[in-house]
Amino acid sequence: MSRMATDETRERILRTASELFYREGARAVGVDLIVERAGVAKTSLYRYFHTKDELIAAFLEREDEEFWEQWASVAKRHPSDPQGELDAHVQWIAERLGRANYRGCPQLNMAAEFPAPEHPARVVALAHKRELRRRLQGIAERLGVRHPDELAAQLLLLVNGAFVSSQAIAGEEALRVLLAASHALVAAARGAR
């Protein structure tokens, strides 16, 4: 089998599993369903992903990569404007909440499904959230607030709260509320000097 064919098979398995895991939850999706939908043999799945847990972690790693690509694209447009960057991140996050197929943050969903600290999915999910906090702290530091670590934690709660509240608030309302809340947090942090 050629390298291209093996890469295509791996990609088909991962794409199929990712769609199913995100839509239905990882625990609800069995390996048999994944191989059936991907049109591959079970041995092929296990050739690329030794366990279902490894496949779940690969799904989250891909989600993580796509999230940070979007983040970097936004950040690049605001190299010397931390407030503009924060507002732009809030905007694309609000747009994400409004997607017709949006079912919440994949990292938060998987962390909830797999509470054991050593589970591969939880490890990837928690690393993602630590990185989100680190990047928010970088923005807070560039904003010049006295306690950037505290503002980063508040913004992290705001963003994660938005992800889990998408069924109740989305679209223009989400954007309006998120911008107002982030501006209030920044103003309060600046006033704490």
Side-chain angles (χ1 to χ4, degrees):
M1 187 178 274
S2 73
R3 173 82 175 152
M4 181 185 272
T6 59
D7 289 348
E8 288 174 10
T9 301
R10 183 186 189 282
E11 174 58 28
R12 188 168 57 245
I13 293 166
L14 181 55
R15 184 179 56 249
T16 301
S18 296
E19 290 168 5
L20 290 167
F21 291 158
Y22 185 69
R23 190 175 61 240
E24 300 178 27
R27 287 191 186 274
V29 174
V31 170
D32 290 337
L33 179 60
I34 295 167
V35 297
E36 176 190 321
R37 295 272 177 92
V40 300
K42 194 181 284 191
T43 54
S44 293
L45 183 143
Y46 287 120
R47 182 179 307 124
Y48 300 106
F49 306 97
H50 297 115
T51 65
K52 181 180 172 187
D53 289 346
E54 191 176 307
L55 180 56
I56 296 166
F59 152 62
L60 284 183
E61 287 164 355
R62 171 178 282 177
E63 291 289 327
D64 188 65
E65 186 177 299
E66 290 173 2
F67 186 92
W68 296 126
E69 284 173 5
Q70 178 68 29
W71 187 280
S73 172
V74 168
K76 187 169 55 175
R77 294 193 303 264
H78 303 276
S80 56
D81 180 10
Q83 185 63 60
E85 180 185 344
L86 181 58
D87 289 350
H89 287 307
V90 165
Q91 182 170 351
W92 73 264
I93 287 168
E95 289 168 3
R96 185 179 177 114
L97 302 179
R99 291 181 191 160
N101 65 342
Y102 191 71
R103 205 185 144 279
C105 169
Q107 288 81 7
L108 290 174
N109 292 348
M110 292 300 112
E113 278 197 67
F114 301 100
E118 70 280 354
H119 191 281
R122 191 167 184 86
V123 169
V124 174
L126 295 179
H128 175 84
K129 294 305 174 182
R130 282 192 298 274
E131 179 63 14
L132 179 56
R133 183 174 182 166
R134 186 191 71 77
R135 291 183 189 217
L136 289 169
Q137 183 159 339
I139 293 171
E141 288 168 357
R142 292 187 0 253
L143 284 166
V145 301
R146 186 168 181 198
H147 300 288
D149 54 330
E150 187 173 312
L151 177 58
Q154 293 168 343
L155 291 170
L156 181 69
L157 286 174
L158 178 65
V159 169
N160 285 328
F163 288 147
V164 299
S165 301
S166 64
Q167 300 303 312
I169 183 170
E172 289 300 315
E173 183 184 19
L175 178 58
R176 200 172 51 254
V177 169
L178 287 170
L179 280 173
S182 67
H183 289 176
L185 290 171
V186 170
R190 283 186 167 141
R193 289 185 181 198

